Amino acid sequence: MSATPQQQAKVSEQEARRVAEAAREQGWRKPSFAKELFLGRFRLDLIHPHPLPADEDVRRGEAFLDRLRAFCESEVDSARIEREARIPDETVRGLKELGALGMKIGTEYGGLGLTQVYYNKALALVGSASPAIGALLSAHQSIGVPQPLKLFGTQEQKDTFMPRCARTDISAFLLTEPDVGSDPARLATSAVPDGDDTYVLDGVKLWTTNGVVADLLVVMARVPRSEGHKGGITAFVVEADSPGITVENRNAFMGLRGIENGVTRFHQVRVPAANRIGPEGAGLKIALTTLNTGRLSLPAMCVGAGKWCLKIAREWSAEREQWGKPVALHEAVGSKISFIAATTFALEAVLDLSSQMADEDRNDIRIEAALAKLYGSEMAWLMADETVQIRGGRGFETAESLAARGERAVPAEQILRDLRINRIFEGSTEIMHLLIAREAVDAHLSVAGDLIDPDKSLSDKARAGAKAGGFYARWLPKLVAGPGQLPRSYAEFDHHGHPHLSTHLRYVERCARKLARSTFYGMSRWQGRMETKQGFLGRVVDIGAELFAMSAACVRAELLRTTGDHGREAHQLADAFCRQARIRVDELFARLWTNTDDVDRKVVKSVLGGAYTWLEEGVIDPSGEGPWIADQTPGPSKRENARRPFC
């Protein structure tokens, strides 16, 4: 009797780790500002002077933004999308005519060929008009068919699919399964070779953004190892109307109500071998590499949300009076407005810097993009929450209700709901912490990994010890002192009449060295158990994110000063942000060693063991009946096809 997919999906912790590690980009062929930061080296030269796009890229990008803005203002009815939980067909037709499906696709395939910088500006703009449209366009281009084909596709595949994606066809990315999230070693969807030119797909995919309306799919499936087949998780381009594909459900969420996200079942779906992207077994590497820049789409829409929150906070707080003056002038509210303004400036600085580095391809930005996603999603949620608080009862009231009683229809509660998913999309905050932490300690593991690996022999450990000794003998002394201790370091960031920023950059340099020392101490203390210290690793990453944002904010402020574009105001915002961030960083450093992690672990074990079930008494659970995880056994669908391609 063959094993069920659920049985096949059970893998050891070691195997899960091996699969994830094999999918990583192993080498660092180009410098990385963030990687150096975690190693205690503040390489300001990698980001300053701030890189700039080419004039022609700016001209084409700004021209498209003008057209997109006009379209959003006249053709996008955000209230209707929220009310009907659906993007109208005519809106999608207009986006296609505008060329919005092909923003990142090269002109040789009929796309617009925008840079990453302007693609992200476009997402921020359209996402502010309707987050559901932003999600539609982002899922299509950032992780859907165009991006993996651009990076890994054959010329024949590009010639076949890119023109369709640029103008007419919507694509989706299918990786997650009902019982598989961030642990792909348990992937159950199979792609069994049938001869030399066909694979047969069977399985179920969950949370398929765009999956309900897609014309083309990127599907990750496991090819079994056999003679002539290496096997492993593999990527395929699949026609969404292929026989055997059923969209079994269109999912509904607390936010992003217009998003076309569903459950897709594959039953004996035949896919040409010519549609395989890359070799067998390369699927996860393709997915992760695609996400290196694809993740920048989420912080782009977070920046747009921050700008909107700032506008609403400014307008409302100047209009609303309490105790004889506008609420903005009350310190309790004013501090929230300052946080929103300063953080929006910093998020845009992080986004533009990371995007421009992606365009220039001079640096390895895998950590920068991940930090931008992590930091953007967390801070945007906080800004939206503060906006609701500033609005008071009106912040909790729906826009439709506000309009019904004669007030401005401000969808503050909607943006809070819409932004919440960004802390889960494309890698939850917790997964991002682990992903970034793995990259941040890569240099240590490459020289000392065998020392803490229980499976390595004594001779392997001896060789690793010698290698590690040489590395740390050179590295550790450099963490003792640096430019951050010299009063005149980074003086080029100080200008008469502007808040001085050099003091913040000196702080970043000192903290980078302190962070590296702390990481080294943690590795020395816990050795092989370091990977279980997720609270510690999360705080290390959060410190790095704050330091990266501070650096980006200062560099952006100086760029704006040199171009005469709101330089004084930019320095004020950068100064305010850095002062706020320094308080958070100091707290995070303190919590590295003074925390409740050990106590929390004991409580969790007691909770799972049922020791506190008495605490749950006295309430009613309104949850419905059913399994925690839906059945994903392969076979023909028993449900009506909910696929609804746009007309």
Side-chain angles (χ1 to χ4, degrees):
M1 179 181 293
S2 62
T4 67
Q6 286 86 347
Q7 290 172 327
Q8 291 173 339
K10 291 184 182 298
V11 297
S12 68
E13 182 180 351
Q14 220 172 16
E15 172 65 10
R17 200 161 46 233
R18 186 194 65 77
V19 170
E21 187 66 17
R24 282 183 60 248
E25 273 191 271
Q26 302 294 326
W28 294 83
R29 297 180 302 278
K30 298 174 183 176
S32 165
F33 173 80
K35 175 175 178 281
E36 294 292 304
L37 198 66
F38 281 109
L39 284 171
R41 300 190 284 251
F42 182 44
R43 290 287 308 277
L44 187 62
D45 60 295
L46 293 177
I47 61 172
H48 176 70
H50 194 295
L52 292 171
D55 291 343
E56 176 59 19
D57 291 334
V58 172
R59 186 194 65 76
R60 290 192 301 112
E62 292 293 340
F64 177 72
L65 289 181
D66 288 343
R67 298 195 301 273
L68 183 62
R69 175 179 290 277
F71 175 84
C72 289
E73 290 175 342
S74 62
E75 304 298 330
V76 174
D77 187 343
S78 182
R80 178 186 173 187
I81 294 172
E82 176 71 4
R83 183 173 61 252
E84 298 179 357
R86 178 161 293 179
I87 303 171
D89 286 9
E90 59 268 25
T91 302
V92 176
R93 283 198 297 271
L95 290 168
K96 291 179 179 181
E97 292 168 2
L98 197 64
L101 294 189
M103 289 186 285
K104 284 191 73 177
I105 298 175
T107 55
E108 67 272 26
Y109 301 111
L112 299 180
L114 297 185
T115 62
Q116 186 73 39
V117 168
Y118 276 97
Y119 171 66
N120 286 335
K121 288 181 183 293
L123 287 179
L125 175 61
V126 76
S128 66
S130 169
I133 294 179
L136 174 83
L137 295 176
S138 171
H140 166 65
Q141 293 172 85
S142 298
I143 57 176
V145 171
Q147 189 67 11
L149 281 192
K150 177 182 177 182
L151 297 174
F152 299 98
T154 65
Q155 190 59 54
E156 182 180 0
Q157 289 171 336
K158 294 175 184 177
D159 291 340
T160 300
F161 298 116
M162 287 295 214
R164 291 171 57 183
C165 291
R167 291 291 176 181
T168 59
D169 289 13
I170 290 172
S171 68
F173 176 80
L174 280 61
L175 171 62
T176 304
E177 298 177 1
D179 197 27
V180 179
S182 299
D183 184 5
R186 300 163 64 233
L187 196 82
T189 298
S190 63
V192 179
D194 183 11
D196 295 331
D197 58 359
T198 304
Y199 291 84
V200 180
L201 270 60
D202 281 281
V204 180
K205 295 294 185 179
L206 176 63
W207 296 323
T208 60
T209 301
N210 289 359
V212 179
V213 297
D215 304 287
L216 289 170
L217 313 171
V218 175
V219 181
M220 296 294 168
R222 185 182 301 280
V223 177
R225 185 186 296 272
S226 62
E227 184 177 351
H229 291 277
K230 175 185 176 183
I233 297 173
T234 305
F236 298 89
V237 178
V238 182
E239 299 281 356
D241 61 356
S242 299
I245 297 181
T246 305
V247 177
E248 295 192 327
N249 193 64
R250 180 179 186 254
N251 303 324
F253 303 99
M254 66 182 287
L256 287 183
R257 290 182 175 169
I259 193 173
E260 298 287 351
N261 179 296
V263 178
T264 302
R265 177 178 291 272
F266 297 84
H267 175 60
Q268 297 289 292
V269 178
R270 302 184 69 80
V271 179
N275 286 20
R276 189 188 68 215
I277 308 174
E280 290 182 357
L284 281 184
K285 187 178 290 290
I286 289 171
L288 291 179
T289 305
T290 297
L291 283 171
N292 280 343
T293 54
R295 282 198 176 98
L296 290 174
S297 62
L298 282 183
M301 286 181 281
C302 290
V303 167
K307 290 173 178 284
W308 183 85
C309 287
L310 179 59
K311 179 179 184 293
I312 296 303
R314 173 180 59 81
E315 294 177 350
W316 166 249
S317 299
E319 177 74 18
R320 175 66 163 165
E321 290 193 1
Q322 290 279 279
W323 298 301
K325 59 183 177 182
V327 294
L329 300 182
H330 291 282
E331 192 171 279
V333 174
S335 63
K336 299 180 187 300
I337 297 173
S338 174
F339 166 73
I340 293 171
T343 304
T344 297
F345 177 81
L347 286 190
E348 188 168 39
V350 166
L351 177 68
D352 280 3
L353 178 62
S354 301
S355 300
Q356 186 58 39
M357 288 195 293
D359 285 329
E360 294 185 352
D361 200 27
R362 286 190 296 116
N363 294 354
D364 187 323
I365 67 157
R366 75 182 85 160
I367 300 182
E368 285 84 347
L371 287 173
K373 188 275 175 188
L374 168 69
Y375 197 70
S377 59
E378 289 293 324
M379 300 307 273
W381 165 256
L382 291 177
M383 288 191 290
D385 188 52
E386 295 289 36
T387 302
V388 168
Q389 191 71 16
I390 290 169
R391 286 276 289 160
R394 290 171 174 85
F396 193 66
E397 190 173 2
T398 68
E400 187 176 30
S401 177
L402 288 165
R405 60 183 186 79
E407 290 193 2
R408 184 175 299 183
V410 179
E413 62 83 29
Q414 180 190 335
I415 198 169
L416 190 66
R417 290 186 287 103
D418 288 342
L419 284 171
R420 185 59 181 85
I421 188 58
N422 290 336
R423 298 175 64 206
I424 301 171
F425 257 169
E426 296 185 16
S428 68
T429 291
E430 293 72 25
I431 290 299
M432 296 307 297
H433 276 149
L434 298 181
L435 184 151
I436 297 167
R438 172 62 187 85
E439 300 296 352
V441 301
D442 184 56
H444 299 284
L445 293 179
S446 66
V447 298
D450 287 355
L451 277 174
I452 59 177
D453 188 339
D455 295 330
K456 294 298 181 180
S457 66
L458 289 178
S459 59
D460 288 336
K461 290 180 183 291
R463 283 192 293 271
K467 183 179 179 182
F471 172 78
Y472 290 120
R474 295 187 300 272
W475 179 67
L476 286 171
K478 297 177 182 178
L479 302 181
V480 176
Q485 294 164 291
L486 302 177
R488 293 302 300 160
S489 293
Y490 314 114
E492 65 269 29
F493 286 82
D494 297 342
H495 304 281
H496 179 71
H498 296 65
H500 289 187
L501 301 181
S502 65
T503 181
H504 301 309
L505 293 174
R506 290 195 293 273
Y507 176 86
V508 172
E509 196 277 336
R510 294 194 303 273
C511 285
R513 286 185 284 111
K514 183 179 179 180
L515 183 61
R517 293 195 302 269
S518 299
T519 305
F520 173 74
Y521 177 66
M523 291 194 66
S524 302
R525 177 178 176 180
W526 293 306
Q527 299 186 30
R529 292 185 295 123
M530 178 75 158
E531 65 181 23
T532 70
K533 302 298 179 179
Q534 295 178 2
F536 176 86
L537 292 172
R539 294 176 199 112
V540 165
V541 169
D542 286 339
I543 292 170
E546 295 282 5
L547 298 181
F548 177 40
M550 289 176 67
S551 305
C554 291
V555 169
R556 179 175 177 80
E558 183 60 11
L559 169 67
L560 295 180
R561 185 198 67 81
T562 59
T563 59
D565 191 10
H566 309 295
R568 189 187 309 275
E569 295 82 2
H571 268 245
Q572 290 172 345
L573 287 170
D575 178 57
F577 172 77
C578 288
R579 290 177 185 274
Q580 295 168 10
R582 288 173 71 158
I583 294 172
R584 295 191 292 267
V585 169
D586 289 344
E587 180 184 354
L588 285 164
F589 268 122
R591 289 178 57 215
L592 281 179
W593 312 112
T594 305
N595 52 64
T596 62
D597 292 349
D598 290 338
V599 172
D600 294 341
R601 276 192 290 273
K602 293 176 182 177
V603 170
V604 168
K605 288 181 179 178
S606 296
V607 168
L608 295 180
Y612 306 140
T613 53
W614 52 268
L615 191 58
E616 301 165 10
E617 296 173 2
V619 299
I620 301 296
D621 181 0
S623 305
E625 297 295 324
W628 286 103
I629 299 171
D631 180 51
Q632 57 178 334
T633 304
S637 180
K638 300 175 182 177
R639 306 185 65 171
E640 185 177 344
N641 195 349
R643 182 170 179 262
R644 186 191 67 86
F646 289 115
C647 298

